[in-house]
Every structure is written in C-alpha cells, then in structure tokens.
Amino acid sequence: MAMLGSIGLRLWGPAPALSQSLRAFSTTHGAAAAVSAEQLAEKLRAQKREEQKQEKPKNPVLRRVRELSELSKQLQRVHPNVLAKALKHRILYQNEELVVIDKPYGLPVHGGPGIQNCITDVLPILAKMLDGMKAEPLHLCHRLDKETTGVMVIARDKDTAHRIQCLFKTRQVEKKYWTISVGLPVPLEGLVDIPIVEKEVQSHQSHYKMTLAPNYRISPENGKMVKVRRNRDAHSAVTRYRILASTPSCSLLELQPITGVKHQLRVHLAYGLGCPILGDHKYAHWSKLAPQKLPENTLMRLGLEQAKVRHLPLHLHAHQLTLPTGTCGDKQLHLVCRPPRFFRNTLKRLKLEIPESLEK
C-alpha cells in the first residue's frame, strides 16, 4: 500500500514535506530490495555452478564433446571485439595481401537466423586490430561450413579477394581435407565422379538434403551399366580420396575436392563410398534426421554408448591449401593447419596414426 500511495502522490504532485518523507522511505526500501536481489542472484549463480559441477560427465569423450559444444555457444555470446581478438590469435600466416586463419569449430562464416556472431561481421574489427583504425575491412575469399575447421583465406582488399575467388572458381587452388570416416572405402584410393543435386526428403519431418544424381545406373535385366538422362538441376562433383590410416571399422582419409559443390565431401563419402564422416548426423540416414549409427567396435574405442552418439562433432578439417602466386602464377603458397584437439583425441582413441611424413 505504501508503494501504491507513493506512486499516486508522485503523479498528482505531493506536498514538499510529505514528498521528502516518501523519498526517504523509497530510498531505504529500494536499498533493502537491492541487497536482497543481489544475494538472491548470487545464490542462484552458486546453485547453477554446483549443478553444472555435478552434471559434468565422467566419460572423457563426453566431457570433451560438452566443452566443444560450450565453446560454440560462447562464440555466439561474446562481444564482437572478443571474437575478433580470438581470430587474431588463430592467424596462421599473413602478408601484405592475405590473412590466413585457423577457423574454429562451430563458428559460422556468414550470418543467418539465430546467428549473433559470424566471421564476416567481425572482419572490419579484425582489420583495425591488424592495421590500425584507418584500415579497410578484410574480405572473405571462400567459405567453410560452420562445423568444418581449418585453413581459411581472407584478403586485405577487394582486388586481392576477387583474384583469389577467381582462382577458386577456375579450380586453380589445391584443397586437401582430412576426415575420419566410419568404415573403409573400396578401393583404398580413387576418384568419385558423381553429380550432386538438392532434394526434399518427404518424411514426418520434411527437410532438404544434397544427394547423388548419377549419370549411370545398373540395369536390373542384365546387370549392365546404362546411361540415364542427366538431371538438369544437378552439379558436376568430383572428389579424389586416399587412405592415410585405417582399422577394420574406421579410416583417416585425405580428400581433395576438384569441384566445390555444397556438402560435396559429405555426400560423396556417405552415399558414394558408403563411409560417412564421423559425426555427420545430417547424412547418416536419407529418410530421417537421426544420430549416426556406429559399429560396436568404434563405440567401444570411443567409450560411448549409441544413445550418446548424437553429441559427436563433425570430423572434417581443411588441412591444406595451395595457392598459385607470382605475376605468372609460377610460384605456390602452401598453407597448412593441424587438426583441432578434439580431432586428434579421436584419432588417438581409434588408434589411427597420422603418417610421420604428414605430421606438422
């Protein structure tokens, strides 16, 4: 009642003496409320910390997966200046034309629904951190998926960005990715040349996926290869691959995309070779969105139950880019980036060893 009275009196203009006493009461009451609110907030924070401490998984794999998930969330919550500073610490190489970073897991390149922070948005801030307040914004030369880690090239000016983008479009940039696949591709080294198209998956949860649109099929009558009419919406997609290390249930592969179709590597491995990328839940099944099904041997080595597989991150890493340089393109710039810690930990658990000749 006192608070309601004070509001009414303020609205209608109370007498000076009464106004002073009400202000004194309001100040005292507000201070008490502020103290109570502060104590309550601290209590809630302490309770939350205790709950998180109790819920921390004992399994080291799940612990690392949670850390990775938390990092992705933190990247969306931090101030753009903090994100730009983090990218600055991840610079692999720079010269007067280029800045090359090691892109972290879970950070989108471009903005979109539900995205608060992305690489594109903080490029002007990063430019000022590198070259002073009068620096021109940096420019992306290509893109990587949110879940993909590794080498990303950024240009210091528009002309350089346009030149590098043209090199990508005309397939003059050699790209090499490392990935952990579920299963062993046959043959152990080869080339997948199957066009890719985007289609809607009709199910209880309709969604769109990239899938294969092969130019040939096997005839059910005689078992011979028969050419089919080309899908006009399909894009030519070519991927070289080779095994770097393997066990009976999983492999470390080097992938070299000759073309640059959306989700090309993921589709070629999952649907072309039958060896999906570890942690690729989008392409684990065609007709539904569900966690990847892993062999018992792989689950045992990872220390996971099948019910927890949905937490596994995508294991796809942009390991190396080779750019032609010089006035005539007669020189080459080799940009190499080590896989992130979670990738290396998975290799260790699966007993997949990177060949010494490729270790950096």
Side-chain angles (χ1 to χ4, degrees):
M1 290 297 294
M3 290 301 293
L4 287 172
S6 69
I7 292 172
L9 287 168
R10 284 173 185 167
L11 286 172
W12 293 106
L18 184 57
S19 176
Q20 290 174 4
S21 63
L22 284 171
R23 279 200 299 270
F25 169 80
S26 177
T27 303
T28 306
H29 181 80
V35 171
S36 299
E38 186 178 351
Q39 290 173 342
L40 179 61
E42 180 55 36
K43 185 177 180 180
L44 289 173
R45 283 194 292 266
Q47 184 179 348
K48 188 175 181 180
R49 285 195 297 267
E50 188 62 28
E51 287 174 357
Q52 290 175 342
K53 186 177 179 181
Q54 291 174 357
E55 293 175 0
K56 193 172 184 180
K58 295 180 180 179
N59 184 300
V61 176
L62 287 179
R63 201 158 54 238
R64 287 195 295 270
V65 167
R66 173 173 287 189
E67 289 171 2
L68 194 64
S69 175
E70 284 301 314
L71 175 62
S72 299
K73 293 175 183 176
Q74 287 171 13
L75 290 173
Q76 288 300 303
R77 292 194 296 260
V78 299
H79 191 278
N81 288 356
V82 177
L83 180 57
K85 190 173 182 180
L87 294 180
K88 181 183 177 183
H89 288 309
R90 299 178 72 93
I91 290 177
L92 301 169
Y93 172 85
Q94 60 178 316
N95 59 19
E96 65 279 1
E97 293 184 322
L98 302 174
V99 177
V100 182
I101 64 169
D102 172 11
K103 179 192 168 298
Y105 180 90
L107 179 62
V109 174
H110 298 288
I115 295 176
Q116 296 179 356
N117 275 329
C118 64
I119 292 177
T120 308
D121 289 345
V122 300
L123 289 183
I125 304 172
L126 180 59
K128 288 179 172 59
M129 287 182 176
L130 295 176
D131 300 319
M133 293 304 294
K134 295 184 179 180
E136 292 294 322
L138 298 168
H139 302 270
L140 287 174
C141 296
H142 63 118
R143 62 163 295 164
L144 294 174
D145 289 341
K146 175 183 174 182
E147 298 86 3
T148 304
T149 58
V151 180
M152 170 160 277
V153 181
I154 300 168
R156 291 186 185 271
D157 57 72
K158 286 184 179 180
D159 291 340
T160 301
H162 179 71
R163 177 167 56 83
I164 301 299
Q165 288 164 1
C166 286
L167 293 176
F168 275 96
K169 288 178 182 178
T170 54
R171 303 175 187 175
Q172 297 183 61
V173 178
E174 185 182 86
K175 298 171 285 185
K176 290 183 179 180
Y177 290 74
W178 282 3
T179 189
I180 300 175
S181 71
V182 181
L184 197 65
V186 178
L188 303 182
E189 183 174 347
L191 183 141
V192 182
D193 184 357
I194 308 176
I196 290 176
V197 67
E198 187 171 32
K199 286 187 177 180
E200 184 177 6
V201 180
Q202 299 292 344
S203 67
H204 70 285
Q205 191 178 359
S206 294
H207 57 284
Y208 285 87
K209 282 183 183 177
M210 307 302 288
T211 189
L212 301 177
N215 293 327
Y216 296 87
R217 66 176 177 85
I218 297 176
S219 171
E221 289 82 14
N222 54 25
K224 292 184 178 180
M225 198 75 73
V226 179
K227 190 168 185 177
V228 298
R229 184 166 29 171
R230 182 182 177 276
N231 187 321
R232 288 187 298 179
D233 296 325
H235 301 276
S236 174
V238 183
T239 305
R240 287 198 184 102
Y241 72 92
R242 69 179 178 121
I243 288 182
L244 301 179
S246 66
T247 67
S249 60
C250 51
S251 313
L252 170 62
L253 301 178
E254 180 183 82
L255 307 175
Q256 187 177 347
I258 308 303
T259 54
V261 181
K262 177 183 176 181
H263 293 175
Q264 173 181 318
L265 300 179
R266 298 165 69 176
V267 173
H268 273 172
L269 261 68
Y271 302 149
L273 294 172
C275 297
I277 295 174
L278 183 66
D280 191 357
H281 309 295
K282 183 179 180 70
Y283 293 102
H285 314 274
W286 169 251
S287 60
K288 60 182 179 180
L289 292 171
Q292 191 173 50
K293 179 74 174 177
L294 293 181
E296 286 296 329
N297 186 39
T298 304
L299 289 171
M300 183 181 67
R301 288 189 173 182
L302 290 176
L304 283 178
E305 300 174 4
Q306 179 58 44
K308 302 294 186 182
V309 167
R310 68 183 183 277
H311 299 298
L312 273 179
L314 182 75
H315 287 67
L316 180 61
H317 175 69
H319 175 249
Q320 181 178 324
L321 281 181
T322 301
L323 293 170
T325 60
T327 53
C328 302
D330 52 344
K331 298 179 182 179
Q332 291 185 327
L333 177 63
H334 296 282
L335 304 165
V336 179
C337 179
R338 287 189 75 203
R341 186 163 64 97
F342 79 87
F343 194 112
R344 298 196 305 272
N345 286 337
T346 301
L347 287 176
K348 187 176 180 180
R349 279 190 162 266
L350 294 175
K351 300 188 184 305
L352 293 170
E353 294 187 7
I354 300 173
E356 290 185 9
S357 58
L358 299 175
E359 269 282 23
K360 297 291 181 182

